[in-house]
Amino acid sequence: MREPRRIEQKWGFGMAPIKPAVQKKRVEAACTVLSTLAEGRHAALGRLDDLSTVKGLFTRTYKQDQWDWFTVWEQLGFPESAVARRVSGALLHLYRCIRDSDAVETEQAFGTLKKYDLPATLERYVSSTPYRPADHGFIYVLSTREAPTLLKIGYTDRDIATRAREINSSTGVVVPYGARGAWLVPRARHVEAEVHARLAEFRVRKDREFFLLEYREAAAIIDAYMKNL
């Protein structure tokens, strides 16, 4: 008889907690990048791998292929996918410029990274300061890897990881939910109602926040509404 697959993790895909030793290494790498942007390329000599580490953080957020991608995305202040791609590419370019002692290209890479406000992002990351205006909350989309088209779409005035833990601790939840996407918005409760109205045809039950559709389709509908906020 085939053994049932055991589900041991208590978090959904993307929301894995980060081990203290790993987080310490990442924070140290972020500090190296901050020093390099402030003091020049000499601050990175002998520590070029730190640039790769920080690049990897941003790459995680748009590839969404690692167990901690959402955790990192939240730590970085939810950068847009396009911005994360550009920052990741600019960090790779900076790595190569410093390695090859190309002073001119190094300065251009500095300019690109500052354009995307990387110093402020990393300062918040290092200090563990969450990015959230006081009157804002989150619209979130959760699902399991086993049922990726059954989406739980709601809002929270707290952080999404806390909300997901509450949901996953419910008696009826066997497979933990992971985050698929999040939007930081003003008047989150009102926005949730508007989003639910636009997704009404996909709603499984009127008294539950579950919708049956592909995540990309749901995200496109939500994005279209968000553009008019």
Side-chain angles (χ1 to χ4, degrees), residues 191-209:
V191 172
E192 179 201 48
E194 292 293 329
V195 167
H196 285 178
R198 285 160 175 75
L199 294 169
E201 65 180 290
F202 305 104
R203 196 161 191 164
V204 177
R205 279 174 42 180
K206 290 184 178 180
D207 61 339
R208 302 295 299 276
E209 297 177 340

Side-chain angles (χ1 to χ4, degrees), residues 26-160:
R26 291 175 176 178
V27 168
E28 289 173 350
C31 288
T32 296
V33 174
L34 282 169
S35 296
T36 303
L37 292 172
E39 302 168 17
R41 63 191 180 92
H42 297 291
L45 295 178
R47 303 206 62 172
L48 280 178
D49 285 348
D50 285 351
L51 274 65
S52 296
T53 296
V54 175
K55 171 189 175 295
L57 297 179
F58 284 89
T59 301
R60 268 171 159 71
T61 69
Y62 68 80
K63 285 194 172 181
Q64 301 183 4
D65 59 352
Q66 301 294 322
W67 275 93
D68 64 352
W69 79 262
F70 187 87
T71 306
V72 172
W73 190 40
E74 188 172 39
Q75 289 176 333
L76 291 173
F78 303 99
E80 294 181 6
S81 179
V83 171
R85 284 178 182 272
R86 293 187 182 106
V87 170
S88 178
L91 284 167
L92 175 60
H93 184 54
L94 179 61
Y95 175 99
R96 291 170 175 169
C97 291
I98 295 175
R99 180 196 63 190
D100 299 338
S101 300
D102 189 332
V104 174
E105 287 293 322
T106 295
E107 288 302 317
Q108 290 181 357
F110 283 166
T112 299
L113 292 169
K114 290 175 181 178
K115 172 185 174 183
Y116 290 110
D117 211 17
L118 183 61
T121 297
L122 293 184
E123 288 284 2
R124 288 194 297 268
Y125 178 79
V126 168
S127 64
S128 300
T129 303
Y131 173 71
R132 172 134 42 112
D135 60 340
H136 283 51
F138 292 102
I139 300 298
Y140 61 78
V141 180
L142 308 178
S143 77
T144 67
R145 299 187 84 184
E146 288 71 14
T149 59
L150 183 60
L151 308 178
K152 179 168 176 55
I153 303 175
Y155 94 97
T156 181
D157 290 324
R158 297 167 295 160
D159 65 276
I160 297 169

